C-alpha cells in the first residue's frame, strides 16, 4: 500500500515551501528524520518543476519513490513507503527540504547570516527569475567531482571484495554522486550486518548440533542401561523361578516327612501293644511253669539216702 496525502497549501510554487513552513505542518518526529535524511544525502530528485517533484529516498529499509504535486491550492504527496506519518511521511519531507535547498540561490546559501536565521520567512529569495526550473540537481555534477568519485570507487570496490573497511568518501558538491556513495556505503554496511548475522546463526547452529550430539549420546547410554537392566531382570526372574521350584520340592518333602511321622507313630503304638501282649504271655507262661513244677514234685522218686 502506498501513502497518499493531501494538505491545503497557499504557496504558488513548490520552491516557496521553506523548512519552517514544512515544519509547521509536518509531524515533529517525521520532520526530524526527514532533515536527517537530507544531511545524510539520501535524497535524489529525479525530475522537478514548480508544480511537481519526482524523487527517490534511501530509507532505512530500502529505496522509496515519491511524487509531490502542487495543484488547486493543495499539496499532494505520494510515497511508496507504508509509514502512517501524517500529513506527510519523512521521505516527502526530506524531498521538500532538498528541493528548497536546491531552489535557493547559491549566494543566499553561502551566506552564514541567512543560515543562522532560518526562522525568517523569505519566499522572495527562493528562486532567481531566470533560474533553471527542471532537474535542479543536474548542474551540480562537475568533472572534478566525477574524477573524485571514480578515484574513490576503485579502492572502495577492492575493499568490498576483500571485506575490509571502505575508504573515507571525499566531500563532493554533487548531490547525485553523494547519494550514490551513500547508497554504496549503506549496501556494504547492510551486507556486513547480514554476514555478522549469518556468522551468529551458524555459531548457534553449531551449538545446537553439539547439544543434539550430547543428547544422542545420553540417549544411547540410557538405551544401554535399559538393556542391561532388562538382562538383569530376566536373570532375576530365572532365579525366582528356581527358588519357587526348590520351595515346591521342599513342601513335598515336608509332606512326606509328616506322613512318615504318622506311620512311625502307628508302628510304635502297635509295637507297644505287642509288647504288652508279650508281657501278659510271659506272665502266663511263668505261672504255667510254676504250676507245672508244683505238680511234678510229689511224683518224683525220693533221692536215695544210702
Ligand atoms: Zn515515505
Amino acid at each position: 500500500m502506498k501513502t497518499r496525502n493531501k494538505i491545503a497549501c497557499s504557496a504558488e510554487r513548490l520552491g516557496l515551501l521553506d523548512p519552517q513552513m514544512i515544519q509547521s505542518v509536518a509531524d515533529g518526529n517525521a520532520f526530524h528524520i526527514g532533515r536527517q535524511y537530507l544531511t545524510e544525502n539520501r535524497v535524489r530528485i529525479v525530475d522537478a518543476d514548480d508544480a511537481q517533484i519526482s524523487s527517490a529516498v534511501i530509507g532505512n529499509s530500502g529505496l522509496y519513490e515519491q511524487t509531490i504535486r502542487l495543484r488547486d491550492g493543495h499539496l499532494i504527496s505520494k510515497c511508496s513507503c507504508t509509514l502512517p506519518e501524517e500529513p506527510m511521511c519523512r521521505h516527502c519531507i526530506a524531498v521538500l527540504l532538498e528541493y528548497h535547498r536546491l531552489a535557493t540561490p547559491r549566494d543566499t546559501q553561502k551566506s552564514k547570516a541567512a543560515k543562522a536565521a532560518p526562522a525568517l520567512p523569505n519566499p522572495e529569495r527562493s528562486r532567481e527569475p531566470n533560474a533553471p526550473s527542471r532537474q535542479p540537481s543536474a548542474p551540480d555534477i562537475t568533472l572534478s567531482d566525477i574524477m573524485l568519485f571514480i578515484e574513490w570507487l576503485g579502492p572502495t570496490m577492492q575493499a568490498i571484495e576483500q571485506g575490509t573497511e571502505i575508504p573515507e568518501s571525499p566531500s563532493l558538491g554533487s548531490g547525485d554522486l553523494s547519494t550514490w556513495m551513500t547508497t554504496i556505503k549503506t549496501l556494504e554496511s547492510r551486507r556486513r550486518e547480514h554476514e555478522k548475522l549469518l556468522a551468529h546463526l551458524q555459531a548457534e547452529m553449531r551449538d545446537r548440533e553439539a547439544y543434539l550430539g550430547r543428547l544422542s549420546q545420553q540417549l544411547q547410554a540410557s538405551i544401554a542401561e535399559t538393556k542391561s537392566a532388562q538382562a538383569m531382570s530376566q536373570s532375576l526372574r530365572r532365579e525366582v523361578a528356581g527358588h519357587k521350584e526348590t520351595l515346591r520340592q521342599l513342601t513335598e518333602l515336608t509332606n512326606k516327612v509328616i506322613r512318615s511321622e504318622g506311620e512311625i507313630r502307628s508302628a510304635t503304638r502297635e509295637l507297644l501293644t505287642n509288647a504288652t501282649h508279650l508281657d501278659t504271655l510271659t506272665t502266663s507262661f511263668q505261672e504255667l511253669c510254676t504250676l507245672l513244677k508244683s505238680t511234678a514234685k510229689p511224683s518224683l522218686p525220693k533221692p536215695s539216702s544210702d
Side-chain angles (χ1 to χ4, degrees):
M1 214 184 94
K2 294 185 176 191
T3 30
R4 184 178 185 278
N5 286 299
K6 197 171 178 181
I7 316 162
C9 179
S10 58
E12 288 169 12
R13 302 197 306 266
L14 281 169
L16 294 179
L17 293 170
D18 64 22
Q20 201 196 14
M21 289 161 79
I22 298 163
Q23 188 170 18
S24 68
V25 294
D27 169 74
N29 188 47
F31 182 80
H32 175 75
I33 297 168
R35 197 164 49 187
Q36 204 177 321
Y37 282 1
L38 182 74
T39 57
E40 289 169 2
N41 275 326
R42 298 206 199 190
V43 184
R44 185 168 181 236
I45 292 179
V46 180
D47 189 19
D49 59 29
D50 279 338
Q52 181 173 333
I53 305 171
S54 302
S55 56
V57 172
I58 305 163
N60 287 331
S61 324
L63 192 76
Y64 301 109
E65 288 170 15
Q66 302 77 31
T67 316
I68 301 173
R69 279 200 189 92
L70 195 60
R71 195 163 56 190
D72 305 327
H74 283 95
L75 184 70
I76 301 152
S77 63
K78 271 195 274 186
C79 182
S80 60
C81 78
T82 54
L83 289 171
E85 289 161 349
E86 294 278 357
M88 222 187 311
C89 69
R90 55 189 68 172
H91 311 112
C92 290
I93 293 167
V95 170
L96 285 175
L97 291 172
E98 170 72 352
Y99 185 73
H100 178 264
R101 189 181 72 82
L102 294 169
T104 309
R106 285 183 174 249
D107 54 344
T108 318
Q109 269 185 32
K110 277 173 192 166
S111 157
K112 294 283 169 192
K115 269 198 172 174
L120 286 173
N122 186 8
E124 294 311 311
R125 64 170 183 169
S126 65
R127 190 183 290 276
E128 297 285 338
N130 56 354
S133 61
R134 295 192 72 85
Q135 292 190 332
S137 59
D140 278 352
I141 301 180
T142 62
L143 192 61
S144 64
D145 273 359
I146 291 172
M147 295 309 289
L148 280 172
F149 178 73
I150 290 168
E151 252 172 47
W152 174 82
L153 199 61
T156 299
M157 297 315 275
Q158 218 170 6
I160 289 172
E161 270 173 25
Q162 291 166 359
T164 52
E165 257 331 290
I166 290 183
E168 199 62 35
S169 54
S171 62
L172 303 180
S174 159
D176 279 347
L177 291 180
S178 294
T179 308
W180 296 347
M181 285 199 296
T182 311
T183 310
I184 291 170
K185 278 196 225 162
T186 310
L187 287 175
E188 173 59 9
S189 79
R190 254 181 234 161
R191 189 185 67 79
R192 271 164 201 244
E193 272 168 28
H194 286 165
E195 260 176 19
K196 259 188 227 165
L197 189 68
L198 193 70
H200 176 73
L201 285 175
Q202 278 171 344
E204 210 168 279
M205 208 161 84
R206 279 196 294 277
D207 281 356
R208 286 193 186 181
E209 270 172 9
Y211 177 63
L212 212 65
R214 284 199 298 277
L215 275 184
S216 88
Q217 272 174 3
Q218 280 175 1
L219 194 70
Q220 277 175 355
S222 298
I223 289 171
E225 254 174 54
T226 310
K227 272 185 189 165
S228 85
Q230 271 175 349
M232 203 183 278
S233 129
Q234 272 175 358
S235 89
L236 277 177
R237 235 179 267 164
R238 276 197 297 275
E239 250 174 63
V240 168
H243 286 315
K244 270 187 191 164
E245 176 59 22
T246 312
L247 197 67
R248 193 186 62 73
Q249 285 172 358
L250 204 64
T251 312
E252 222 169 79
L253 208 66
T254 310
N255 287 341
K256 263 186 204 169
V257 167
I258 289 169
R259 276 202 299 277
S260 304
E261 210 186 345
E263 276 165 24
I264 288 168
R265 273 193 195 152
S266 68
T268 309
R269 268 199 302 277
E270 219 167 278
L271 266 178
L272 283 174
T273 315
N274 287 347
T276 314
H277 284 169
L278 202 66
D279 275 355
T280 318
L281 217 62
T282 309
T283 311
S284 304
F285 188 69
Q286 278 173 348
E287 276 171 8
L288 194 67
C289 277
T290 313
L291 196 67
L292 275 177
K293 270 183 195 167
S294 63
T295 15
K297 261 181 194 172
S299 60
L300 278 176
K302 246 185 192 175
S304 102
S305 50
D306 310 328

